Amino acid sequence: MQARSSVAFDVQQRRAQAESGLPADELGKGVAAEIALARRESPARGGRLLGLAKALVTEMPHTLTALRTGQINEWRATLLVKETACLSAADRCAVDEELAADIGTLAGAGDRAIIAAARTAAYRLDPHSVVNRARRAVADRHVSLRPAPDTMTYLTALLPVTAGVAVHTALTRQADAQRSAGDSRSRGQIMADDLVERITGTAGGIAGIEMQLIMTDCTLFQGDSEPARLPGHGVVPAGWAREICVQDQDQDQGQGMSQAQGLSHDRDRPLNVWLRRLYTAPCTGELLAMDSRARLFPAGLLRFIQARDGTCRMPYCDAPIRHHDHIVAWQHGGPTSLGNGSGLCESCNHTKESPGWHAEPRPGPRHTLEIHTPTGHSYQSTAPPLPGTALGGTSPPGTAFGGTSPPTNRRQLLHRAKILKRSRPGGSLAAGGQAA
């Protein structure tokens, strides 16, 4: 039912776009994003779901019937569509008829068996398309980084088979040699460490990178258990964050910054750690604003937006931020300010510029914006809470103002500000601010 509804919606929107005068090569722009929002999915997955729906409804009726009657699940229907994507519509229909999943041809088959059957049938019908698809796949090679549990990450490389085998063989040989020489690390540990050292050229892989690790002052200085946040990765334990930022006695606080020396937990290499103080409003956790009259966001404001948003602000999208966007367009009078700025991935920023899409700032416990789609639906996006701020917008006990309740009047705010300023030479604090 979702597949049929998606195809009908796509046809309706394309017709409406054509009637409004949109060029033919832009018809369908933004449709997948609307489907993604309606299904509470990321925009990228919305595009894949729409493509799956169109293939099933228009070209693979046997697979659609098998899905409807429960003979195959959605993932295996996706595999059949994916493995026939290089074929023409007529050849794809022929493969669908040959496999005929709706009459039990694939009963009991696992994922690999289904992939093999679809590839065999596709190659039999159009071998040139299958070969050309393999050649074009080389252009899709890339490296990606995804968060893993326990402050780990998945570094993944999509490579041609020859290159992938060569890399794995080189790492394996080196690991076997070191194990034979008495290295106590496991084979997998040696391969992982060797990969990092070969690519970065340094032991432990630390080569002057910047990590925007965000935590409360209580977590850093007082051993508080409030977790920290690492943009691009997510929430990390407080103890691990403190290990990364071990303070040294020699601090340079003249510029409102401090440089400390820490130790790498595995190779005992000194790290240069810079602390940049961000100030948040009490209770809400809202970062204090800074404005600019320029169209482009200045570097300081970009860092603020990056720290506040973390990932793309389109609902259900958690892709990395690539564009820093004016919520209300600059040419329409939108200011270059923290309140009118948001971080978006490249795809969502292009979608937002499509006809019928617009956004506007909204009041909320933290930075909030509302996105309107061409069909009249609205979706709100609220910035994620910074460490030390609960989801509801109130500060957890023990994290604000050294563990006491936040002050409620201006005199108390100024008093707290003076105390904090005296305790941190060279620092400054706006009234009502909380160090983060």
Side-chain angles (χ1 to χ4, degrees), residues 272-288:
N272 289 327
V273 179
W274 289 87
L275 304 183
R276 177 179 289 115
R277 289 184 295 219
L278 307 178
Y279 298 106
T280 61
C283 301
T284 65
E286 181 78 50
L287 281 174
L288 301 184

Side-chain angles (χ1 to χ4, degrees), residues 42-302:
S42 70
R45 181 159 173 78
R48 292 194 294 270
L49 289 169
L50 177 58
L52 171 66
K54 293 168 75 171
L56 291 174
V57 172
T58 63
E59 299 171 359
M60 304 184 73
H62 292 283
T63 303
L64 179 62
T65 300
L67 175 63
R68 181 179 59 81
T69 57
Q71 297 186 56
I72 60 173
N73 58 28
E74 188 176 31
W75 172 242
R76 288 177 179 162
T78 303
L79 292 177
L80 290 170
V81 171
K82 180 181 178 182
E83 295 303 326
T84 57
C86 61
L87 301 178
S88 65
D91 285 342
R92 180 179 254 175
C93 288
V95 171
D96 180 60
E97 187 171 355
E98 178 181 336
L99 298 180
D102 57 329
I103 61 173
T105 305
L106 301 177
D111 291 353
R112 291 186 179 182
I114 287 178
I115 291 173
R119 285 181 179 176
T120 301
Y123 187 79
R124 188 183 302 116
L125 281 170
D126 191 352
H128 296 292
S129 294
V130 176
V131 172
N132 290 335
R133 175 183 177 180
R135 289 173 179 167
R136 290 194 301 268
V138 176
D140 295 330
R141 62 190 184 277
H142 68 275
V143 177
S144 61
L145 186 71
R146 295 178 293 118
D150 304 322
T151 66
M152 302 291 282
T153 59
Y154 297 107
L155 176 66
T156 306
L158 179 64
L159 301 172
V161 63
T162 52
V165 170
V167 170
H168 191 267
T169 300
L171 293 173
T172 301
R173 288 175 178 171
Q174 178 69 8
D176 290 341
Q178 291 186 244
R179 288 279 290 174
S180 299
D183 197 314
S184 61
R185 291 174 293 169
S186 69
R187 193 161 175 258
Q189 289 172 337
I190 295 174
M191 292 174 68
D193 295 343
D194 190 30
L195 174 67
V196 172
E197 291 183 19
R198 289 188 186 209
I199 293 176
T200 63
T202 58
I206 304 300
I209 62 171
E210 181 180 73
M211 294 196 308
Q212 299 282 352
L213 184 60
I214 304 171
M215 68 182 81
T216 66
D217 51 352
C218 296
T219 294
L220 179 59
F221 298 116
Q222 300 178 14
D224 193 82
S225 60
E226 176 69 24
R229 194 177 84 191
L230 183 61
H233 179 88
V235 175
V236 295
W240 181 89
R242 278 192 294 273
E243 289 180 9
I244 296 295
C245 303
V246 176
Q247 264 204 317
D248 187 73
Q249 296 299 319
D250 298 327
Q251 293 186 348
D252 177 13
Q253 298 182 347
Q255 300 295 328
M257 313 274 285
S258 63
Q259 184 180 28
Q261 295 294 320
L263 294 179
S264 174
H265 64 280
D266 55 349
R267 296 302 175 91
D268 291 336
R269 295 189 66 253
L271 307 178
N272 289 327
V273 179
W274 289 87
L275 304 183
R276 177 179 289 115
R277 289 184 295 219
L278 307 178
Y279 298 106
T280 61
C283 301
T284 65
E286 181 78 50
L287 281 174
L288 301 184
M290 60 166 59
D291 296 332
S292 169
R293 295 183 181 276
R295 177 171 184 173
L296 297 179
F297 291 94
L301 193 50
L302 290 179

Side-chain angles (χ1 to χ4, degrees), residues 375-386:
T375 52
H377 293 82
S378 299
Y379 301 87
Q380 282 200 350
S381 170
T382 301
L386 290 175

